[in-house]
Amino acid sequence: MALLLVKLLLTPAIVVSTTLAGRRLGPAVSGWLVALPLVSGPLTYFFALEHGQRFAAHASVGSLSGTLGEVGFCVGWARTARSGAWWRPLVAASASFAAVGLVVEALPLDERLPSPLLPLALACLAGLLVGLRVVPRLAPAASDAVPVPRWDLPARTVVATGILLALTTLAEVLGARLSGLLAVYPLYTVVLASFAQRHEGPAAAMRLLRGLLLGLFAFLAFYAVLAGLLTRVGTGVAFAVAAVVCLTVHGASLWPLHRERSRRVAPAPA
């Protein structure tokens, strides 16, 4: 019940706040904000309370490895963003996330925690750098934008809440690693990017995804620290240290985020 309450309270707040921030400051800011472990972090905390620190540590490894899945999601979307209907990049991106996630899930990362963390964290770091190279910067086209209808914000909230509850139901029948991986399926990115692509065009979706990739450095830091500390120190201390490191890295990404928002880009080829 506590988990359900957290999801029902956080989801509308996150969707509304990030949408409004994106409308005021640009799509990249929306992506940057949703990269924070705003839902998966509390879920992992409840995992620790209900199933123990070791279970939560394994879930944290799954969430950390999910960074690579999110990079795959961004790349899959970028490769199909200009293919026509808004749902095509969504399908391609979700398939890319699943494919990368299944490959990572097959790796023997459960053994000897936290020794696999360093190579896994380095792989995630390299993946984020590659993602920033692959996902293009597209200049907005005036013809792409359409007026945002009044039902847009409520629809985003309803869709996000429904998908989150569905994913949570699936996670209850899975193990710790898959639960952690499923917890980082880019739900909010799915909603924000889909609506951005539909109403503002591919360029807005690309800027949102690049903001997400910048924000994921903090996400990576949070779960790398958490997975390393949970089996060594108390739950409260592990989460406190992970949160401080996460916010520090996120603050440091403000400068490249500012450059993303202010940089002029050439129009994408037709």
Side-chain angles (χ1 to χ4, degrees):
M1 181 59 70
L3 284 174
L4 179 61
L5 183 61
V6 168
K7 295 166 190 170
L8 291 178
L9 290 176
L10 282 180
T11 297
I14 293 170
V15 170
V16 170
S17 60
T18 54
T19 297
L20 294 178
R23 289 178 182 174
R24 182 175 180 83
L25 300 173
V29 174
S30 290
W32 180 75
L33 288 173
V34 297
L36 287 168
L38 299 172
V39 172
S40 60
L43 289 180
T44 307
Y45 181 75
F46 281 109
F47 285 158
L49 295 182
E50 296 180 1
H51 303 291
Q53 290 175 305
R54 186 162 184 81
F55 183 96
H58 287 305
S60 297
V61 172
S63 296
L64 175 61
S65 61
T67 305
L68 292 173
E70 297 209 32
V71 173
F73 180 94
C74 293
V75 172
W77 192 295
R79 292 302 186 187
T80 54
R82 303 184 68 85
S83 62
W86 63 268
W87 55 267
R88 291 177 182 172
L90 171 59
V91 172
S94 297
S96 297
F97 177 89
V100 174
L102 289 174
V103 170
V104 175
E105 172 62 20
L107 299 177
L109 300 176
D110 283 334
E111 305 295 331
R112 301 179 304 280
L113 277 173
S115 59
L117 290 181
L118 181 58
L120 177 59
L122 290 175
C124 292
L125 179 61
L128 289 175
L129 295 174
V130 170
L132 285 170
R133 295 280 295 180
V134 172
V135 176
R137 302 180 183 91
L138 298 183
S143 59
D144 286 340
V146 299
V148 178
R150 291 185 177 181
W151 51 260
D152 175 81
L153 198 55
R156 294 180 188 224
T157 303
V158 171
V159 170
T161 303
I163 297 176
L164 180 59
L165 292 176
L167 292 177
T168 301
T169 301
L170 288 175
E172 291 176 355
V173 300
L174 302 174
R177 283 274 303 284
L178 279 177
S179 295
L181 183 59
L182 196 59
V184 298
Y185 175 72
L187 164 64
Y188 300 116
T189 305
V190 166
V191 175
L192 295 173
S194 297
F195 278 80
Q197 177 103 8
R198 170 65 181 84
H199 295 307
E200 303 174 65
M206 291 301 97
R207 295 197 298 277
L208 188 145
L209 294 178
R210 289 187 62 84
L212 173 71
L213 290 169
L214 288 173
L216 283 174
F217 287 96
F219 182 93
L220 187 162
F222 178 82
Y223 279 109
V225 172
L226 194 60
L229 291 183
L230 267 174
T231 56
R232 297 171 178 244
V233 300
T235 299
V237 173
F239 273 88
V241 173
V244 169
V245 173
C246 174
L247 292 175
T248 301
V249 174
H250 207 55
S253 67
L254 277 171
W255 173 243
L257 178 70
H258 173 72
R259 293 182 62 190
E260 284 288 325
R261 293 178 59 232
S262 60
R263 181 174 295 176
R264 296 181 180 273
V265 294

